[in-house]
Amino acid sequence: MTDRVGFIGLGNMGAPMAKRLLDRPGGLTVCDMRPEVVVTYTDAGANAADTPAAVAEHAEVISIAVVDDAQVRGVVDGPDGILRTAKPGSVIAVHSTISDATAEELAGICASHDVEFVDAPVSGGAPGANRGVLAVMVGGTETAFQRVREPFGAFADLIVHAGPVGAGTRMKLARNLLHFAAFTAATEAQRLAEAAGLDIAALGKVVRHSDAVTGGAGAIMLRDTTAAIEEGDFWLPILSHARDLGEKDLSLAMELGERLGVALPFAELAIDGLGIGLGVGTGPIATKKRTGGSPA
């Protein structure tokens, strides 16, 4: 039996996600505070509901894509919330990035109503949602995960069971740590390039092109542990090579920055932590920088 799906919150992310559910068998019921937004979906055959509680009357799997923890709480357990009418065995899935503690708390409340709760934040942005290629990180029981995999497949081509409730959110926070730290590093690279008289728009084209080929930072995220790599391990020569190349290029960038008078704090952190983070220890260049001696 195909679960009927409800979708609450038709904003920048929710709108393209919900649109990809329109052609899915089982029917779609949508809800948003802005009636004019809902018309697009009802014109395409979806049902409209005025409140989250009304959505739960017509759906067994209910997705939520609102702004923050407070809105999620209201949608789930407010006076007109989903739990007022949710049928036992229903699954509530929150795609908003909220606190993992909030997710765990709401899971407990839902359990008292015999309703499953999953935190299911997404990665890939609105372009990914429009193309149906989002990544979804699901925190919840195995039973709930199996229930949501099929409907989530309408807007995602990677659906990961991160662990129990809260794990999906924790994975999203780790992913976004990389995302926004990389943005900050990119601004540092732009400052260096600009001081060197380069076209930083052209630099951006080069970065996007090469990252699409190499996988960017995710290319080194292949091990199942962050522990130090032992002798004889398959990854030791590969990541040692990555460290040595990285330390060389970072040191050259830092020398350029020094000549141009551009502070590069991210580069300083990177050269100190790259080898250790990769599990292979500092290389000769970083060791020399730390000790002021000669490379081993």
Side-chain angles (χ1 to χ4, degrees):
M1 181 177 177
T2 302
D3 284 316
R4 298 177 298 173
V5 173
F7 208 103
I8 301 170
L10 303 172
N12 290 337
M13 282 301 298
M17 292 168 69
K19 282 180 181 177
R20 294 194 64 88
L21 289 162
L22 282 168
D23 296 330
R24 176 187 168 275
L28 175 67
T29 299
V30 297
C31 178
D32 193 275
M33 295 176 62
R34 301 158 298 167
E36 68 276 11
V37 173
V38 174
V39 173
T40 299
Y41 300 86
T42 54
D43 285 351
N47 298 313
D50 294 333
T51 66
V55 173
E57 293 177 354
H58 301 284
E60 292 82 38
V61 173
I62 305 167
S63 284
I64 301 171
V66 294
V67 175
D68 54 25
D69 293 50
Q71 288 191 5
V72 170
R73 289 178 188 277
V75 167
V76 173
D77 196 33
D80 293 316
I82 294 168
L83 292 179
R84 303 288 78 79
T85 59
K87 295 173 285 296
S90 297
V91 181
I92 296 173
V94 175
H95 301 298
S96 315
T97 301
I98 59 174
S99 164
D100 57 334
T102 298
E104 291 171 342
E105 177 188 345
L106 289 174
I109 295 171
C110 288
S112 68
H113 293 260
D114 197 19
V115 169
E116 292 261 25
F117 179 97
V118 300
D119 53 312
V122 299
S123 183
N130 277 309
R131 293 165 48 207
V133 293
L134 290 175
V136 188
M137 297 148 277
V138 180
T141 66
E142 178 64 27
T143 300
F145 176 68
Q146 294 302 331
R147 289 277 300 282
V148 300
R149 284 181 68 182
E150 182 272 321
F152 286 5
F155 49 74
D157 63 352
L158 178 63
I159 305 166
V160 175
H161 190 190
V165 171
T169 297
R170 290 187 279 271
M171 185 174 284
K172 174 65 182 291
L173 294 177
R175 193 270 171 273
N176 277 9
L177 167 65
L178 173 62
H179 189 66
F180 292 110
F183 276 14
T184 308
T187 65
E188 182 166 294
Q190 287 177 304
R191 290 197 302 274
L192 177 65
E194 188 171 54
L198 302 175
D199 180 341
I200 63 174
L203 171 63
K205 290 179 181 178
V206 170
V207 171
R208 289 188 294 275
H209 180 277
S210 55
D211 277 3
V213 175
T214 66
I220 60 95
M221 302 176 72
L222 299 170
R223 299 174 65 218
D224 58 6
T225 175
T226 61
I229 301 176
E230 298 181 356
E231 289 292 336
D233 190 292
F234 168 82
W235 289 108
L236 184 60
I238 296 171
L239 295 182
S240 294
H241 178 65
R243 175 205 62 198
D244 292 345
L245 284 177
E247 288 187 0
K248 173 182 69 69
D249 290 355
L250 285 165
S251 67
L252 291 171
M254 290 166 64
E255 289 173 8
L256 176 61
E258 186 174 356
R259 293 201 310 271
L260 297 174
V262 179
L264 301 176
F266 256 61
E268 290 274 1
L269 290 170
I271 199 167
D272 285 341
L274 177 61
I276 295 171
L278 291 174
V280 294
T282 55
I285 293 176
T287 300
K288 178 182 178 182
K289 173 181 173 293
R290 285 182 175 183
T291 63
S294 300

